[in-house]
Amino acid sequence: MLFMQGCNMRCRYCHNPETWDKQGGCDAMHLTPQQAFDMAVRYKPYWKGGGGVTVSGGEAMLQTGFVTEFFKICRREGVNTALDTSGSPFTYDEPFCSMFRELCGVCDLFILDIKHIDDDAHKALTGRSNRNILDMARYLSDNGARMWIRHVLVPGLTDDEESLTKLGVFISSLKGVDRVEILPYHSLGIAKWDKLGLEYTLRDVKSPSAEEVRRAEELIGAARYKGYLEENL
Ligand code: SF4
């Protein structure tokens, strides 16, 4: 796993607020993509299933050029590539869109967070709109990319039936979704927020129970199935 610095979202549950600042990480350490690759392969014995490299953050797509060059090296060396992203930098505007197309050519798997399907609720949760994030999911779908969708389940904020159903319907409209993962909210990041002098606003929110996670999976699964039937029958 390679972690990149910088994120333009401010998720209320972020457990890595120390990565928000773009200073630090590969760029600020002045590592080249080749140096980052050489560093990553040193940990090859610990890669899950011996499989490949995941680039995460912060938000790695804020440094799309670097990630693309890094993934090109991985490809050349026969290493699988995955990008763990919030999708927030995505735009059809140039030069980003051309850079993103190039990235798609060397990324085997996109792991895309959809933090809330409702735009207003997304803004309240992360500080930013979800429109370009949903655009990115459609772009990946239209261009034959493989993706996993992730959703953090926060009791009282992201777990209502209507939103989970809408999320399932949206996912059913996408091609190339190999997996949908519900990540239960946890408050392990609080100490980091305190250390940085930031106000953590979800202090009273409990992690969802296994039953609540299962209910969310079922709601999304049922909506996906219904959406699939409506699209294909
Ligand atoms: S997108 Fe990820 S790194 Fe950025 S604020 Fe949200 S949880 Fe934190």
Side-chain angles (χ1 to χ4, degrees), residues 5 8 31 64 110 122:
Q5 281 291 133
N8 51 9
L31 287 183
T64 299
F110 287 87
H122 192 279

Side-chain angles (χ1 to χ4, degrees), residues 4-196:
M4 308 289 286
Q5 281 291 133
C7 185
N8 51 9
M9 299 243 267
R10 291 294 178 264
C11 303
R12 292 170 63 190
Y13 53 67
C14 182
H15 57 271
N16 287 323
E18 76 283 8
T19 64
W20 291 350
D21 187 345
K22 205 158 178 273
Q23 301 308 311
C26 286
D27 240 16
M29 283 162 66
H30 304 299
L31 287 183
T32 64
Q34 182 64 54
Q35 287 167 333
F37 178 81
D38 293 343
M39 203 171 72
V41 287
R42 272 193 242 143
Y43 296 92
K44 196 169 181 182
Y46 304 101
W47 291 354
K48 276 186 193 158
V53 173
T54 300
V55 175
S56 184
E59 175 45 65
M61 283 206 313
L62 290 176
Q63 299 173 65
T64 299
F66 182 96
V67 177
T68 302
E69 292 310 310
F70 176 74
F71 280 177
K72 281 182 187 172
I73 298 167
C74 293
R75 272 278 164 100
R76 232 176 17 241
E77 301 294 333
V79 172
N80 291 331
T81 54
L83 178 65
D84 184 355
T85 175
S86 70
S88 60
F90 181 86
T91 171
Y92 283 108
D93 293 345
E94 295 294 355
F96 181 88
C97 199
S98 294
M99 291 169 71
F100 185 72
R101 194 176 310 119
E102 197 180 349
L103 172 65
C104 286
V106 288
C107 182
D108 297 314
L109 175 68
F110 287 87
I111 303 168
L112 176 64
D113 284 1
I114 298 183
K115 295 171 189 295
H116 210 299
I117 195 69
D118 177 81
D119 196 32
D120 287 336
H122 192 279
K123 284 180 193 154
L125 183 65
T126 72
R128 294 181 72 97
S129 169
N130 70 6
R131 295 215 173 113
N132 58 321
I133 295 163
L134 303 186
D135 280 350
M136 177 173 156
R138 288 189 201 97
Y139 182 99
L140 294 175
S141 169
D142 292 345
N143 287 280
R146 283 182 55 226
M147 66 183 125
W148 295 356
I149 301 289
R150 280 185 175 161
H151 178 70
V152 178
L153 195 70
V154 190
L157 285 180
T158 71
D159 66 342
D160 65 284
E161 181 172 344
E162 186 184 349
S163 303
L164 291 171
T165 301
K166 276 189 189 160
L167 178 61
V169 170
F170 176 73
I171 294 171
S172 77
S173 73
L174 303 172
K175 296 187 286 288
V177 178
D178 290 348
R179 187 186 291 191
V180 177
E181 288 184 336
I182 299 290
L183 306 181
Y185 162 77
H186 63 74
S187 54
L188 298 179
I190 289 185
K192 294 181 183 174
W193 285 66
D194 289 345
K195 198 170 164 201
L196 292 167

